[in-house]
Amino acid sequence: MTAVTLSPHQLATLQQQHRDLPTADNSTGHRTPPLSTNRSVSTQHLGRTDVQPSGMEDSAWAMENRQRNPSDKSDQKKWVGKGPRGGQQHLHFDLGDRSNMHSSLRARESNSSSSTSDNQSEQLPNQALSEQRNARPKTSSDSSRTAAPSPYLVATSRQDSDGEAIPHADTNGYGRPKKQLLRATSDLGPRGQSPTRPGPTKEDHHWHLRHGWEDQYNSNEYLSTLTSTFYMYYTDKRHETGGIPKDDTYPLQEWRMRDRLKTVSAALAICLNIGVDPPDVVKTNPTAKLECWIDPMTPTTAAPKVMEQIGKKLQEQYETLSIRTRYKQYLDPSVDETKKFCISLRRNAKDERILFHYNGHGVPLPTPSGEMWVFNKNYTQYIPISLYDVQSWLISPCLYVFDCSHAGNIIHNFDRFIEKHENENLEARQRDPNAQLQSYTDNILLAACGRTESLPTNPDLPADLFTCCLTTPIEIALRFFVLQNPLPSNITTKDLKKVPGRLQERRTPLGELNWIFTAITDTIAWNLLPRTLFKKLFRQDLMVAALFRNFLLSERIMRAHHCHPVSSPQLPETHNHPLWQSWDLAIEMVLAQLPAMLSSQEGGGHYEYQHSTFFSEQLTAFEVYLSQGAVEQKAPDQLPIVLQVLLSQVHRLRALILLSKFLDLGPWAVNLALSIGIFPYVLKLLQSAAQELKPVMVFIWARILAVDPSCQTDLLKDNGYQYFVGILNPASGIPVGNASEHRAMCAFIVAMFCKDFHQGQVVCLSPELLDGCLKHLDDTENPLLRHWSCLCISMLWVDYNDAKWAGIRSKAYETLCRMALDPVPEVRAAMLHALTNFLGIPDLTDQVARAEEWIATSVMVMTADGSSMVRNELLVFLSTFVKRYENKFVVAAYEHMLEEREALRHPQLDNISGNRTSGGLTAKRISQGKQHQASAHGVSTETMFASIWKHLFIMTVDPHPEIAANADVIVDYVHNTLLQSPLGSLAQPVIDDMIRLSRRPAPLNLPKADAATNSTEPSTSPAPQTGTKHQGYLSLGMKRTASVAASLKNIAFGAQIGTDSRPPSPQRNMPTKSLHNQNRLSGPPRARTPAEWTRPPEGNDQTTTAIAYHQAKMPFSRGFKVRDSRKIPVLPMRSRFFEWSTEYFREPQMKPNEPEEPGSADYNQRLWRRVRNEKVLATTQPLKGLAGGSRWDTGTGFFNNGSQPIKMCFHQFEDHLVATDDRDSICIWDWRRQARLSRFSNGNPKGSKINETRFINEDDQALLMTGSSDGVIKIFRNYDSEKRVELISAFRALTDLIPSNKNAGLVFDWQQGQGKVLVAGDVKVIKIWNAASEICTNDIPARSGSCVTSLTSDQVAGNVFVAGFGDGAVRVYDQRLKPVNAMVRVWKDHKQWITNVHMQRGGLRELVSGSRNGEIKLWDIRMGAPLRTIRATKDTLRSLSVHEHAPVFATGSEKHKINVFNVNGAFLNSIEPYSSFLQHNRSNPISTTAFHPHRMMLACSALHDNHINLFTCEDRRRDALDG
């Protein structure tokens, strides 16, 4: 459902207009009573303050459409509203149901209607009006909402035809005293009086609306409901996806370091030869001297000792990067020593990485061919070493660091020698395929400068500047900042050594700088490097990561001194990244406090170090990024910094909250966070006992497991799963307001932990977990918790018998079965998922069998569930159950065949009983007092297995194609097994008999009541998927019916798709006259009443649709795939519900939906539609008052529908007109352009037709709802496009249609404000289907022996509805009362079939009924008699249409005439629909009429004519169409 909120500006505008604008009755200047302004509005506004048309009327237009019943939707709202998301969209501008909507200007419409009356009545002053209003009685409201008053006046206590009492006049339907209303005449109020009636009294003038409902619009409490949320239905995720998981899920990136390496050994080769400069090096004077921060030219220390100090210091510097690496110093090595230690390093390191550090400051420059220099043993010569030899000794993987001038030569030649090695390996492989070869490719190189560059010689810098950058980055960075700082400062390079703290302590100045440096360099690399390269260099090896972080600093520092460090793999330029400015700021903040800190150390008083604001500022920047929505899925620059912040307790909670918001953006964000290395941190935090971290940790882990379930083993280590099991316990505390939602996430985490992970199931199996999940099933406030508690139990039971036995001991299955009528379809489906996994304990004891059979019996009620997702999950359960008890179902199938064969042998007995279920299964077969011997003594007779088998047959003709196809699989599997079983030899003769009997012609003496069964019952009809429904394996391309005989006939003969497999109906072969005579004799006649009076006017019509009827394409649901009939069916079927449910945690829940984002395409489209809708209302409202006195004979449209139009319906705001024909086709027309937009099939069986069509969610993107005579309701999206039209939902709203010669089929009325479908027809009850929960919430007894022919309801409060019956009765019901007492009024003034009864959504809320004898009556539900009776025609009344807001109605007669009247009974004009010049037939009856809800437009069509005519008021009012 989608929710829309009314803007406060609109409410204020409406109030002001209601107070200030005069009514349309300019002759009297009457003004409407002011609306009270004493109400608070707390809604958000879109930002528009000028979109409300100044001409808007209807003071209660929003109330008329936005009223809903919170008791029905509160649970649904919480289910879909996890954060601002979940299938619900709060549109902060007015998008109400203006079908309902815009009764806008209730007062103005009332006075517009009064312009058609002969006499104008004077209105009472406001004070008197208020007194009269206060004197009127009010009914009590629902416990959860403010309801509209619904008074009912009855003169005396009466009883209806069934002998049930009607509430007495002194009660209001709730047993409390009620004052009689003082309305003596029936035609008073705004329309004035009739010339034949007494004049109005002074106290009658205040009546504006019928039925006493003007109190709704004058009650402050009731008007406050205008701010309630308006829902749009059938727009949830289950409808968008059809319950099918997405195929294009975000691919999981490999973030774990499967090939993680360690640098286990390091060779530090230092070639200085102190005191002797190499011949090709020219040094400046002064020059750089320091090596590892040691001056080698110290006069007091001998050269060997200095070399040892330098070597030791270099090792210490490297140990700050990796303490576990084994270091070996090689000081001024010779060629032999170099070869020896290289070979030794590789032998000890095995396959791990080796670090080779080469300092060549005391030897000649590397040669252009890639040779580097060492010494001979006597240090008398420089000996070159080929890079090829070094590679041969060290092999790979290796990490090389070259600190010397012209180091780029080494890098330049390195790959050339590697290629040479690889060629040698290839040749060796060719000589000996089994030869052991060495790899040389995995190498990383760092060089101090390019091929022709020399190292800096600045005396303020160390000679080994590159090495210092790599090993002591903080110290060299401080020195570089001081040397480069253009501002005067008292800080010298000597003071830099006095910065307090240690690198490992983050709360000290030096440690904080090191922490910031790590974050900055990580972030620079993350932003500039490709992900794979970043992962290799910065996450694979600690030593490599540290050196490359420091290498970024070296690039910045050495570039300032005209050196360009080189690396392999090559990195992009990083020296000018903006984050280096943040690094300079961090250094400057430390150095600014250095004098004070030094003074404090020297006893100058206490000084408290002011920590850097770097991390808090970066978190703020990250928060800004999140607030922008990450539209392009661009990786945030600050993500590595957030990772570093998790190390700090000060910022940890804020960082985790921001991280959770980032992960909420979707799987791409989770992948980024995992690739940056977030997982070890959040895994470690599971050991924390901090209460404040629990909610955010639960959220983060839910998002991680939704994307990557492979974290199960990590949770098993150190018992990390216990963190979530503990929170899931109902007795545990969690410091968050929405604890239930976080427990739902914990249930999801535990479910993912157990999924396909037996060790996880074992450690989670505990009474506490199972009992906790069962207790959460009673949480009525949070359906998500109930949903995932069921799935958590389900995952615990999958293939784990110990857990299933625990479920038996705790009777968990009984608790789950109680969820069969849960108001949330997802919860019901999750319950079935759990029960499916409960089946299958290998040890099938009596206790297990009883439990499983009890479960199967309990869930069979769900075969009538309105949600296709639930029914599909039920089929998965039944497939598992059938597979488990396969032999019993084979017997049940065989005995069912026997039963059906006997039914075919004695069809008269079956027809006499007249008691067939909706699936075509005979419930009773009685033959003149003797019980019929079909299979009464069979093994499966009256067993649960036989009942389930018959329900499966019913589901093979399910209106939803996917459900029918899946049921086919189960039935085909059992039939296939039966034919291959020992019973196959017995079943084959039965099949032959059934095929032979089904070929036998049908008897001709059947009453039409039975013939009607063939056209109304789904039992004897082909599958609703006629012509397009995919068939089962055994059917061999035939369509399934719910009759075994028809199915087996299809097996044998393989008839083509689209043919009717049932015997021909007798009415197809009998002469028309004979049928007509039979019609008169069939059915129970009423005393002294002609039988025709209680039959539909179209009952004797002959179908005239052309023989060349083109079957339209039937839309399927999204994701539906046609089953391959060549594949043998396999059970059990696999459920995809768990995967579909998991997607919830991959979708953003915190950010607004796309339609709520200002500037988005959806938002702009909805804003445009809103303005368009208001413009339509503003332009049509002034014409409604004039419509009651104008002629409706101006033709404005004429087009050929292509088939006989039977029902038509206008969209309120789009230029759409839907027309259905006498079969199953639906045509959508653009009436303005007179162009057909689409044509598709409703898929109802042959012999049935579409009885009703309605648009729902008309304020936004409307859906099309259809109801057919086989009892099925269907909802379509994209109905205006043949290519994109899809089936959203389909369910059998009436499951027990009663065969009747007085056939009404199915009639329904849609209540947008309540989200309910009122369904009735050839049944004894009126069913109330809740669109939010998709279940039948109420069965209200019709209290009549006749069928319901028409339904209408109050579209504002939605509590009262009215039904017309085939015997002429009109009954009023109130949903707020108990079903047995819901009927509050019955009128029996009509004596014939009620053609239509309709209550206006706007205007005076007129209630108009018409019977087939041409009588039209206007009612007030408080009155026991009609307000007015109008004789519309002397012929048979074929159609009656009432304008929703204008005071006019139109009738279509048997004589090809349409008469238009106003509600005062004044005849306006007569119309004859035009067909064509050559085919115009003025004797054809009118088949259908329809008013546009707002425009002054009337559509009509005649029988035996495919054309649709559009008429409007006089030409001067055609400008209403141009709006």
Side-chain angles (χ1 to χ4, degrees), residues 104-371:
S104 140
L105 346 174
R106 194 65 61 201
R108 208 165 186 191
E109 282 191 343
S110 299
N111 288 279
S112 298
S113 302
S114 67
S115 66
T116 64
S117 62
D118 298 329
N119 300 309
Q120 302 295 337
S121 61
E122 184 178 356
Q123 206 166 358
L124 288 177
N126 289 341
Q127 181 178 0
L129 178 66
S130 177
E131 293 174 357
Q132 291 289 341
R133 185 181 305 119
N134 294 335
R136 288 196 292 272
K138 309 218 172 162
T139 62
S140 64
S141 62
D142 221 328
S143 60
S144 59
R145 72 189 298 269
T146 303
S150 57
Y152 309 102
L153 273 183
V154 186
T156 58
S157 179
R158 302 170 52 193
Q159 292 186 347
D160 70 349
S161 59
D162 296 325
E164 299 187 32
I166 301 174
H168 196 270
D170 59 352
T171 67
N172 61 2
Y174 298 91
R176 289 193 288 272
K178 177 181 175 190
K179 181 179 178 181
Q180 291 265 346
L181 296 180
L182 303 176
R183 188 168 187 182
T185 58
S186 62
D187 189 29
L188 303 177
R191 293 196 310 263
Q193 60 186 15
S194 170
T196 61
R197 296 182 178 272
T201 61
K202 186 175 182 181
E203 53 191 7
D204 288 329
H205 294 170
H206 63 274
W207 293 102
H208 290 281
L209 299 181
R210 297 295 186 198
H211 324 299
W213 285 342
E214 68 277 4
D215 284 356
Q216 298 177 11
Y217 312 111
N218 294 283
S219 166
N220 293 340
E221 182 181 6
Y222 195 74
L223 285 176
S224 65
T225 59
L226 287 173
T227 59
S228 63
T229 303
F230 168 81
Y231 289 88
M232 294 197 302
Y233 298 90
Y234 296 102
T235 58
D236 291 330
K237 181 186 174 183
R238 64 178 181 271
H239 304 120
E240 297 290 338
T241 63
I244 299 174
K246 298 177 182 177
D247 294 332
D248 54 343
T249 55
Y250 195 90
L252 177 63
Q253 298 177 1
E254 181 58 44
W255 55 273
R256 294 180 184 271
M257 300 304 303
R258 306 294 182 187
D259 54 348
R260 182 181 292 275
L261 296 175
K262 295 180 181 178
T263 303
V264 296
S265 300
L268 307 180
I270 307 174
C271 302
L272 293 181
N273 195 17
I274 298 175
V276 180
D277 292 335
D280 56 351
V281 175
V282 179
K283 294 184 178 180
T284 62
N285 188 18
T287 188
K289 299 179 181 180
L290 300 180
E291 299 282 351
C292 296
W293 302 106
I294 296 176
D295 186 355
M297 305 306 294
T298 303
T300 59
T301 307
K305 294 292 184 181
V306 174
M307 280 294 297
E308 292 178 4
Q309 293 178 4
I310 292 174
K312 183 178 180 180
K313 187 64 182 295
L314 179 61
Q315 179 175 337
E316 291 176 355
Q317 292 176 182
Y318 266 109
E319 286 175 347
T320 60
L321 306 182
S322 176
I323 189 65
R324 296 182 181 180
T325 302
R326 299 187 297 270
Y327 298 95
K328 184 66 175 177
Q329 306 168 26
Y330 298 97
L331 309 178
D332 292 339
S334 64
V335 174
D336 295 338
E337 290 175 343
T338 303
K339 179 178 179 181
K340 182 178 179 181
F341 74 68
C342 286
I343 294 175
S344 176
L345 282 174
R346 173 49 59 196
R347 183 173 55 251
N348 295 331
K350 298 181 180 180
D351 294 331
E352 297 290 347
R353 179 172 280 122
I354 294 174
L355 167 65
F356 180 79
H357 179 96
Y358 174 74
N359 183 328
H361 295 175
V363 294
L365 302 175
T367 65
S369 60
E371 295 173 321

Side-chain angles (χ1 to χ4, degrees), residues 314-452:
L314 179 61
Q315 179 175 337
E316 291 176 355
Q317 292 176 182
Y318 266 109
E319 286 175 347
T320 60
L321 306 182
S322 176
I323 189 65
R324 296 182 181 180
T325 302
R326 299 187 297 270
Y327 298 95
K328 184 66 175 177
Q329 306 168 26
Y330 298 97
L331 309 178
D332 292 339
S334 64
V335 174
D336 295 338
E337 290 175 343
T338 303
K339 179 178 179 181
K340 182 178 179 181
F341 74 68
C342 286
I343 294 175
S344 176
L345 282 174
R346 173 49 59 196
R347 183 173 55 251
N348 295 331
K350 298 181 180 180
D351 294 331
E352 297 290 347
R353 179 172 280 122
I354 294 174
L355 167 65
F356 180 79
H357 179 96
Y358 174 74
N359 183 328
H361 295 175
V363 294
L365 302 175
T367 65
S369 60
E371 295 173 321
M372 52 186 180
W373 302 84
V374 290
F375 305 95
N376 61 359
K377 291 184 179 180
N378 299 324
Y379 297 99
T380 59
Q381 292 180 343
Y382 300 104
I383 308 297
I385 299 179
S386 173
L387 192 56
Y388 175 85
D389 294 333
V390 176
Q391 292 175 349
S392 302
W393 302 333
L394 293 176
I395 313 176
S396 70
C398 282
L399 169 61
Y400 297 90
V401 177
F402 299 105
D403 187 357
C404 59
S405 297
H406 293 201
N409 286 328
I410 301 176
I411 305 296
H412 178 72
N413 290 278
F414 195 89
D415 289 340
R416 181 168 59 87
F417 290 118
I418 291 294
E419 184 177 354
K420 184 177 180 181
H421 282 294
E422 292 298 323
N423 292 334
E424 292 175 355
N425 286 342
L426 182 61
E427 294 174 359
R429 178 72 66 187
Q430 293 175 350
R431 291 192 302 269
D432 183 5
N434 298 322
Q436 294 183 354
L437 305 178
Q438 301 294 340
S439 174
Y440 298 92
T441 56
D442 187 7
N443 295 287
I444 299 174
L445 295 86
L446 299 176
C449 58
R451 299 178 61 185
T452 60

Side-chain angles (χ1 to χ4, degrees), residues 1188-1216:
S1190 303
R1191 294 181 59 84
W1192 291 69
D1193 56 359
T1194 303
T1196 188
F1198 175 76
F1199 40 86
N1200 190 343
N1201 189 57
S1203 58
Q1204 174 66 63
I1206 295 298
K1207 294 289 182 181
M1208 292 189 294
C1209 181
F1210 280 98
H1211 192 289
Q1212 290 190 71
F1213 306 110
E1214 301 284 354
D1215 298 334
H1216 293 168

Side-chain angles (χ1 to χ4, degrees), residues 2 42 44 179 483 495 592 608 796 847 1027 1033 1039 1137 1470:
T2 306
S42 58
Q44 299 180 15
K179 181 179 178 181
L483 295 177
D495 297 330
E608 183 175 353
L796 190 63
Q847 183 183 10
Y1033 168 76
K1039 48 184 191 173
F1137 178 73
S1470 179

Side-chain angles (χ1 to χ4, degrees), residues 532-604:
T532 54
L533 183 59
F534 174 83
K535 178 181 174 182
K536 177 181 179 180
L537 300 182
F538 288 83
R539 292 296 181 265
Q540 192 180 61
D541 186 341
L542 292 177
M543 174 67 82
V544 174
L547 286 177
F548 267 90
R549 277 195 295 267
N550 300 342
F551 178 78
L552 301 184
L553 177 67
S554 71
E555 186 181 24
R556 185 188 188 215
I557 293 178
M558 299 193 72
R559 272 179 177 267
H561 295 85
H562 311 291
C563 279
H564 298 80
V566 184
S567 67
S568 177
Q570 186 176 358
L571 302 184
E573 293 185 0
T574 60
H575 65 282
N576 55 356
H577 195 278
L579 273 178
W580 287 120
Q581 299 179 15
S582 299
W583 171 241
D584 291 338
L585 176 62
I587 292 178
E588 187 173 8
M589 292 180 65
V590 171
L591 295 182
Q593 302 179 69
L594 182 59
M597 290 186 291
L598 295 178
S599 174
S600 175
Q601 292 177 357
E602 295 172 0

Side-chain angles (χ1 to χ4, degrees), residues 1441-1462:
S1441 297
V1442 184
H1443 199 285
E1444 294 291 358
H1445 296 83
V1448 293
F1449 62 88
T1451 62
S1453 69
E1454 191 82 16
K1455 300 300 182 181
H1456 197 68
K1457 273 193 177 182
I1458 297 173
N1459 295 329
V1460 183
F1461 297 83
N1462 64 24

Side-chain angles (χ1 to χ4, degrees), residues 663-945:
L663 298 181
D664 185 63
L665 295 177
W668 67 272
V670 176
N671 275 323
L672 283 177
L674 292 175
S675 65
I676 196 63
I678 206 74
F679 185 78
Y681 292 82
V682 295
L683 182 64
K684 184 69 175 179
L685 287 175
L686 292 180
Q687 309 302 321
S688 172
Q691 288 289 324
E692 66 275 7
L693 297 183
K694 286 185 176 181
V696 65
M697 286 297 296
V698 168
F699 188 95
I700 290 173
W701 270 96
R703 265 58 192 175
I704 292 176
L705 283 173
V707 175
D708 187 1
S710 67
C711 303
Q712 295 163 318
T713 54
D714 301 282
L715 285 176
L716 187 61
K717 297 176 183 178
D718 300 326
N719 296 328
Y721 69 94
Q722 288 288 359
Y723 189 89
F724 307 105
V725 173
I727 298 176
L728 186 56
N729 190 329
S732 68
I734 179 170
V736 67
N738 53 346
S740 295
E741 187 171 347
H742 284 78
R743 288 196 173 98
M745 296 180 198
C746 288
F748 164 72
I749 293 171
V750 176
M752 293 297 294
F753 178 63
C754 295
K755 185 176 184 294
D756 303 326
F757 188 54
H758 182 68
Q759 291 176 290
Q761 291 176 303
V762 172
V763 298
C764 285
L765 179 58
S766 63
E768 293 77 13
L769 177 63
L770 190 59
D771 292 344
C773 289
L774 294 176
K775 289 181 180 178
H776 290 318
L777 297 181
D778 297 328
D779 188 337
T780 59
E781 297 297 323
N782 196 307
L784 186 66
L785 178 57
R786 301 198 303 272
H787 178 182
W788 279 103
S789 294
C790 291
L791 291 182
C792 181
I793 297 173
S794 178
M795 291 296 103
L796 190 63
W797 280 344
V798 175
D799 300 328
Y800 188 29
N801 297 324
D802 292 345
K804 295 178 182 180
W805 277 108
I808 291 179
R809 289 189 294 269
S810 63
K811 294 187 177 181
Y813 60 91
E814 294 185 4
T815 305
L816 287 169
C817 286
R818 290 200 296 268
M819 311 297 292
L821 296 178
D822 190 276
V824 178
E826 287 83 351
V827 177
R828 301 197 297 272
M831 176 269 291
L832 287 170
H833 191 279
L835 294 177
T836 301
N837 288 325
F838 176 78
L839 301 177
I841 298 178
D843 187 10
L844 189 57
T845 63
D846 291 341
Q847 183 183 10
V848 174
R850 284 195 302 270
E852 293 182 346
E853 293 177 10
W854 189 89
I855 292 171
T857 305
S858 300
V859 301
M860 290 315 296
V861 66
M862 304 179 76
T863 56
D865 198 289
S867 171
S868 58
M869 183 175 66
V870 175
R871 298 200 305 277
N872 193 57
E873 203 62 30
L874 175 63
L875 284 175
V876 175
F877 170 84
L878 292 178
S879 70
T880 307
F881 190 79
V882 168
K883 179 66 175 178
R884 183 163 173 80
Y885 296 93
E886 184 176 296
N887 293 334
K888 294 186 178 182
F889 279 100
V890 167
V891 174
Y894 172 69
E895 293 182 348
H896 187 216
M897 286 183 182
L898 296 177
E899 180 184 354
E900 289 292 323
R901 182 180 64 177
E902 294 302 318
L904 289 172
R905 286 177 175 175
H906 308 283
Q908 296 87 352
L909 303 179
D910 195 49
N911 288 322
I912 290 173
S913 67
N915 189 6
R916 292 178 68 87
T917 65
S918 61
L921 305 173
T922 303
K924 296 180 181 178
R925 293 184 172 95
I926 303 174
S927 174
Q928 299 177 356
K930 295 182 180 181
Q931 183 174 2
H932 185 58
Q933 301 296 324
S935 57
H937 302 292
V939 176
S940 65
T941 303
E942 298 181 357
T943 65
M944 175 203 62
F945 300 99

Side-chain angles (χ1 to χ4, degrees), residues 63-81:
M63 179 182 352
E64 182 181 321
N65 310 281
R66 287 172 174 72
Q67 308 317 313
R68 62 181 179 89
N69 191 340
S71 63
D72 291 338
K73 302 183 182 64
S74 59
D75 201 41
Q76 178 72 10
K77 182 178 180 180
K78 286 164 187 166
W79 158 247
V80 297

